[in-house]
Amino acid sequence: MNGPSASSRAALSSAMTDPFGRTISYLRVSVTDRCDLRCFYCMSEDMTFLPKADLLTLEELDRLCTAFIAKGVKKLRLTGGEPLVRRNVMTLVRSLSRHLSSGALHELTLTTNGTQLAKHASELADCGVRRINVSLDTLDPQKFREITRWGEIDKVLEGIEAARAAGLGVKINAVALKNLNEDELPELMRWAHGKGMGLTLIEVMPMGEIGSGRIDQYLPLSLVRARLAQQFTLTDLAESTGGPARYVSVAETGGKLGFITPMTHNFCESCNRVRITCTGTLHTCLGHEDASDLRKPLRASSEDALLADAIDRAIGLKPKGHDFIIDRRHDRPSVSRHMSVTGG
């Protein structure tokens, strides 16, 4: 997986600034839409996945990421689906790590459900990955099976311990689910903080048909925070990791708690990120149906001038903010594509 030529580098030299003056420095790349779990708020049980022939090759994903790094991306997150189920995905991780060595990229990380971590944690650390996000909504084995439809929590917990043993920083992401895990959130926070891990809570996002209504799932984090504040001392933190989370410190646990609130609070004013799907489609906003095809210019030429033009056009159309809303009249998603396709 080689870098761009001199002419390609010239085409990619301009930084990415959207119409509202926000500089794009954070890229999330879905390497697959497939997952070995079926979390009910993310996927329908009987998902139809993309034909493998539609996916970008690992070499194409590398070239696309490298183009964005040349245009100023400093943080790169690999997502899915579940990124670690993509065959030979570690060859992509190892290749991208060259940008860490050169200093062009400041951080290479990934979001995972943790089922494959025991296998890959050591190599991830060897490739320069320093921290990861693990999606885990409950510590109860039965609830975990209910949420994921067939998952085994022991595999995830084993993966988390393998990651910690490899020296990776781990942050837990948990979707707040009404009448399912809302009473467990204080315990989940104590557990994560007790192991030196951060916890970020996320509101249900209305993306894709999942065979059930999101009104019944939606739990506003404003309510969650108010409840937590009755038990814990929460102090707002000014820090940011380049994502949409807002953080507080928890005096009683000594840990950090994040809130991602696309429904109750629009976090778009400082948005510095875009997403690429495993088919090479660029989405500049998670909550819009916008889409720009990068696969066509990527494959049209071995040089990157066409690709650079396509990226610049897409960034020039980035909207000011998302349009997420829970449709209470029709109970339908705000965005038709699934999170697993977009990149979680």
Side-chain angles (χ1 to χ4, degrees):
M1 300 184 186
N2 298 317
S5 67
S7 59
S8 294
R9 286 194 296 272
L12 293 167
S13 60
S14 61
M16 298 176 291
T17 303
D18 75 8
F20 305 95
R22 297 169 298 193
T23 299
I24 306 305
S25 59
Y26 181 8
L27 176 66
R28 301 173 68 106
V29 180
S30 172
V31 298
T32 179
D33 66 324
R34 295 171 186 264
C35 187
D36 51 354
L37 301 178
R38 295 289 183 277
C39 295
F40 68 78
Y41 55 78
C42 181
M43 295 182 173
S44 62
E45 186 168 4
D46 186 23
M47 282 291 291
T48 300
F49 293 110
L50 295 166
K52 291 184 178 179
D54 287 357
L55 271 61
L56 295 182
T57 66
L58 295 178
E59 289 77 13
E60 288 173 328
L61 284 167
D62 181 271
R63 183 179 160 203
L64 202 48
C65 291
T66 298
F68 274 86
I69 292 166
K71 289 181 73 65
V73 160
K74 300 300 181 184
K75 178 178 178 179
L76 174 60
R77 180 178 296 276
L78 302 181
T79 70
E82 169 48 46
L84 295 179
V85 301
R86 173 82 189 250
R87 187 176 181 182
N88 296 325
V89 70
M90 290 308 301
T91 62
L92 174 63
V93 178
R94 188 162 293 281
S95 180
L96 290 172
S97 71
R98 73 189 186 276
H99 299 299
L100 294 172
S101 300
S102 72
L105 186 65
H106 293 170
E107 183 176 28
L108 175 60
T109 184
L110 77 156
T111 296
T112 173
N113 63 26
T115 60
Q116 308 296 316
L117 260 182
K119 235 186 304 187
H120 298 296
S122 180
E123 188 174 2
L124 285 169
D126 189 55
C127 289
V129 175
R130 294 292 171 255
R131 64 187 186 97
I132 59 173
N133 290 356
V134 178
S135 301
L136 179 63
D137 305 318
T138 179
L139 295 174
D140 182 287
Q142 185 57 43
K143 281 186 188 177
F144 185 81
R145 198 169 294 113
E146 182 181 345
I147 291 170
T148 63
R149 293 193 171 101
W150 57 61
E152 298 175 18
I153 195 170
D154 287 347
K155 285 186 178 178
V156 177
L157 297 178
E158 180 188 358
I160 289 171
E161 291 308 312
R164 295 176 66 228
L168 296 174
V170 178
K171 179 168 73 68
I172 303 298
N173 288 343
V175 176
L177 299 164
K178 185 178 180 182
N179 297 325
L180 186 55
N181 70 350
E182 57 182 309
D183 293 337
E184 191 186 347
L185 297 178
E187 178 192 350
L188 189 61
M189 183 178 70
R190 288 190 189 97
W191 170 78
H193 291 177
K195 290 181 175 290
M197 302 184 297
L199 172 67
T200 293
L201 304 178
I202 306 171
E203 287 178 336
V204 169
M205 297 187 194
M207 295 186 66
E209 292 292 348
I210 56 171
S212 62
R214 285 194 171 85
I215 293 174
D216 296 333
Q217 301 172 0
Y218 173 59
L219 178 65
L221 288 186
S222 54
L223 176 60
V224 172
R225 175 167 177 163
R227 288 174 178 171
L228 289 172
Q230 294 174 1
Q231 302 180 53
F232 303 95
T233 307
L234 309 180
T235 304
D236 288 311
L237 298 173
E239 65 186 87
S240 171
T241 60
R246 295 165 186 269
Y247 294 97
V248 298
S249 62
V250 184
E252 289 78 3
T253 65
K256 188 165 69 171
L257 177 65
F259 298 92
I260 296 181
T261 55
M263 305 304 298
T264 57
H265 176 80
N266 183 304
F267 46 66
C268 305
E269 67 277 358
S270 59
C271 181
N272 65 342
R273 58 206 163 275
V274 294
R275 286 171 165 83
I276 294 176
T277 72
C278 51
T279 60
T281 300
L282 174 65
H283 295 289
T284 59
C285 178
L286 184 62
H288 274 261
E289 293 284 12
D290 72 311
S292 300
D293 178 19
L294 299 185
R295 180 172 59 181
K296 185 176 180 181
L298 184 73
R299 293 180 173 175
S301 171
S302 60
E303 297 296 316
D304 287 328
L306 293 176
L307 178 60
D309 287 344
I311 293 172
D312 289 339
R313 282 196 302 272
I315 299 302
L317 297 173
K318 183 173 170 65
K320 187 174 184 179
H322 63 65
D323 292 331
F324 281 141
I325 187 171
I326 296 287
D327 189 331
R328 297 185 180 276
R329 289 174 301 168
H330 305 103
D331 197 15
R332 62 192 179 199
S334 293
V335 178
S336 62
R337 65 183 185 274
H338 286 86
M339 178 65 91
S340 60
V341 174
T342 310

